[in-house]
Every structure is written in C-alpha cells, then in structure tokens.
Amino acid sequence: MPIRILLVDDHTLFRSGMRLLLQRQPDFEIVAEAGDGVEGVKRAKELKPDVVLLDLNMPGLSGLETLQLLTQDVPTSAVIILTVSEEADELGQALRDGARGYLLKNIDADVLTSAIRRAAGGEPVIAESMTAKLVEQFRGQANLAANGSGPSGQAERHRLTARERQIVQCLARGASNKVIARELDVSESTVKIHVQNVLKKLNLTSRVQVAVYAVEHGLHGDDPA
C-alpha cells in the first residue's frame, strides 16, 4: 500500500513543487492539497491520510492551531511540520501538540522522502539542525524541575510502573519498539501494550509527546529505585 500524503501550505508554487517531487516516489500517493488550515483539517478528516505535511506560518488558522485540530480529529495521521522557522519554541510547541516531525523547507529531497517513510512507520523525525536547539531547551526545563522551580518528576514516577518508566526512558531516546524489545528482553507486542498504557496514563497521543514529557518532568535519565 502506498503512503497517502496530504499537503497543507498556503503557497501554491511550493505545493506544486512538492507534489512533483513526491509523486516520483513509487510508494507515495498525494491524495490532496490544501491552501489553508481549515481546508487542510476538512480534507484530512475526509481522506484520513497516512502523513500530513503542514506549513507552520499560514494566514487565518495558524499551523499550530491546525496541528491541534488534526491530532484531535485525525489521530491516525502523522503530521510533519515543514517550515522555514528555526525557532526552538515553535519546535517544542509543535512536538507538545502532537507533531510526528519537524523539518525545514531547505531539506534535501532524499532526506525528506526518508523522513516521510519513517514518520508513516511511527518514528519521530526532527531536522538535524534543530536537534541541538531542542536538547538545549529541554535541558533548561529539566534543570528547573530538578531545582524545584518547574514541574517535579516525583509525582509522575508514582503514576507509572517500573517497567513503564523504563519504556518512557527508551522513548525519550527515540528508540523504536524493536530496539526497546531487545533492550528489555520482551516481545514487540508487549512493548506496544506498555506504550499504549503510558500514553493513556499520561493523557498523551504520540511517542514524541512522551519524549518531550519525559524531559520536562525529569523522567529521561536514570530512574531512582
């Protein structure tokens, strides 16, 4: 089955170029385009694409507002922010709001197509140049939590079982289910169940959100006994 993609961007020329680029891939299918967030949400609800490529800066309904509606109304679609913005705050907010990925528009074509496939498979994808900014931002938040000036991880630890905390630590590193299963010596199906339990307990919707949550609440390092 091809990976079904929806393009949401207010620039017609950019959408046309993306369509031409992605249509060259035999495993991609562009199911629709939208020039604004409202139309994008409508088309996503109708078509249930595997991946939505979403611009961040659009008139009317913003990219982040569109993202919130997409993750709420079409949770099965992996949303990748494709933008020119290199602001760490916007990156962090997009991940909190449920984006599967955050890529810059100057990305190489082969990197983009690989990222789309990975996102469709459930992996988080973040532009390499943005990773350091993300780590720095979350390191500062983690320091606040450790110093008692931010959200404490102590209460959060009590919400999760020991095994679930191990799962959270693995997700914070971006590990796949296969890698987690190998590290913890359990089956992949068992990992999937634990991941679903973690999402439910923390009221989150994606693995990326778990990773962000883990860093913000100090759950990404060694778990004290």
Side-chain angles (χ1 to χ4, degrees), residues 87-108:
E87 295 296 325
D89 288 344
E90 291 186 327
L91 165 62
Q93 190 60 54
L95 296 181
R96 291 186 190 92
D97 288 342
R100 183 73 57 80
Y102 193 100
L103 303 174
L104 301 178
K105 285 186 175 180
N106 61 3
I107 191 171
D108 289 340

Side-chain angles (χ1 to χ4, degrees), residues 7 11-13 15 33-34 43 73 93 100-101 105 114 130 133 140 146 154 172 175-176 189 195 206 216 220 223:
L7 305 176
H11 291 94
T12 304
L13 187 60
R15 292 199 314 272
E33 298 178 19
R43 300 295 280 166
D73 296 339
Q93 190 60 54
R100 183 73 57 80
K105 285 186 175 180
S114 174
M130 297 297 293
K133 294 183 180 181
Q154 289 303 117
S176 65
S189 60
V195 170
S206 74
E216 290 183 331
H220 60 299
D223 194 10

